[in-house]
Structure formats: C-alpha cells, structure tokens
Amino acid sequence: MGFWDAVTDLIDAATPWATVEAEAPADTPAETAPASESTEETTAETKAEESAAAAEEPEEEAEEEEEDEDEDEIVDPKETLEEECRNSKECAPAKHHYDECAARVTGAGADNKEDCVEEFFHLVHCATQCAAPKLWNVLK
C-alpha cells in the first residue's frame, strides 16, 4: 500500500457521499410447501387482513375529517390582505407589468430566455408594503 492509496482511503472515509453503493438483497430461503396448502392459507390470511383493514378505515377517515376541520379554521390574515392588495388600485401598475410579462413569456415558446422574476418581486413588494399596516391592525 503506497502513500497515495492511504491518502485516497482517508478521503473516501471523510466523504462517504462520494460513492454510492447499493446493498445486496437479503438471501431468504424459500419455504417448500405444497402449492395447494399455501394457496389456501394465503387466501384465508388475505381475507382476514382485508376485513381488519376495512374495519380500521372508517376510524381513520373520521380522524382525517376532524383534522381537516381543524385546518380549515386557521386562516393567515397576511395572505388574504396581500391578495386584496395585489388586486387593489395601489398595486395595479405592478400587476399590469407582471401580467404583460407572463403573457409574453408563455406566448413566446421555448426560444424565449426571459423570465418575470423582477416583475414578480415588484408585485410582491407592493403587496407586502400595502398589507403591512393593515396586518398590524388585524393582529392587535
């Protein structure tokens, strides 16, 4: 083992993400049973599992509905205020520029290298500036 082999081993040990190695599948011996018996047992087990799963589903659905009801109650006032501001007269010029840019970019096809990031940030900035004073009044 030479000097560079030792250095390479140290680098490989320090950077485990550098090489990706898949794990070998586990070797499990297949059980040898007569085909008719295993099929009958499998069918009985499958039916039992399906009936148990069917019994649990209504409980899970009821829990999910309760969670959905709780989530629906919480509404972020910042998002609603910013949406109102985006559609207001105050942010109309920024929204107009953004909409024009979006129409240009989507209509130009794949050859267009333009994006609407600048216009988007102008619109978001306008909406944030408009919503900030109103947000403090709602939060107090």
Side-chain angles (χ1 to χ4, degrees):
M1 184 167 161
F3 175 74
W4 291 112
D5 293 331
V7 171
T8 305
D9 289 344
L10 287 173
I11 291 173
D12 288 342
T15 57
W17 59 87
T19 56
V20 178
E21 298 174 4
E23 294 181 12
D27 294 330
T28 56
E31 295 181 20
T32 55
S36 61
E37 289 179 14
S38 64
T39 305
E40 291 173 4
E41 290 174 5
T42 306
T43 307
E45 290 174 1
T46 305
K47 289 180 182 177
E49 290 174 0
E50 288 176 359
S51 63
E56 293 177 6
E57 285 180 10
E59 294 173 6
E60 292 175 0
E61 289 176 6
E63 290 175 6
E64 289 176 7
E65 289 176 8
E66 289 175 9
E67 291 174 5
D68 290 341
E69 290 174 4
D70 293 339
E71 290 175 4
D72 291 340
E73 293 173 8
I74 299 172
V75 177
D76 187 7
K78 180 179 183 268
E79 291 177 5
T80 56
L81 288 172
E82 284 183 350
E83 184 65 31
E84 291 172 6
C85 285
R86 267 188 232 118
N87 296 324
S88 71
K89 185 178 178 182
E90 186 177 339
C91 293
K95 183 168 176 50
H96 176 71
H97 286 295
Y98 176 72
D99 290 340
E100 278 185 346
C101 180
R104 234 184 4 255
V105 169
T106 55
D111 296 337
N112 192 0
K113 294 182 181 180
E114 181 183 12
D115 59 11
C116 300
V117 174
E118 184 177 355
E119 288 84 356
F120 174 74
F121 281 121
H122 284 250
L123 177 60
V124 170
H125 178 74
C126 178
T128 304
Q129 292 297 320
C130 170
K134 297 173 187 175
L135 181 64
W136 286 111
N137 290 335
V138 171
L139 294 176
K140 286 184 181 181

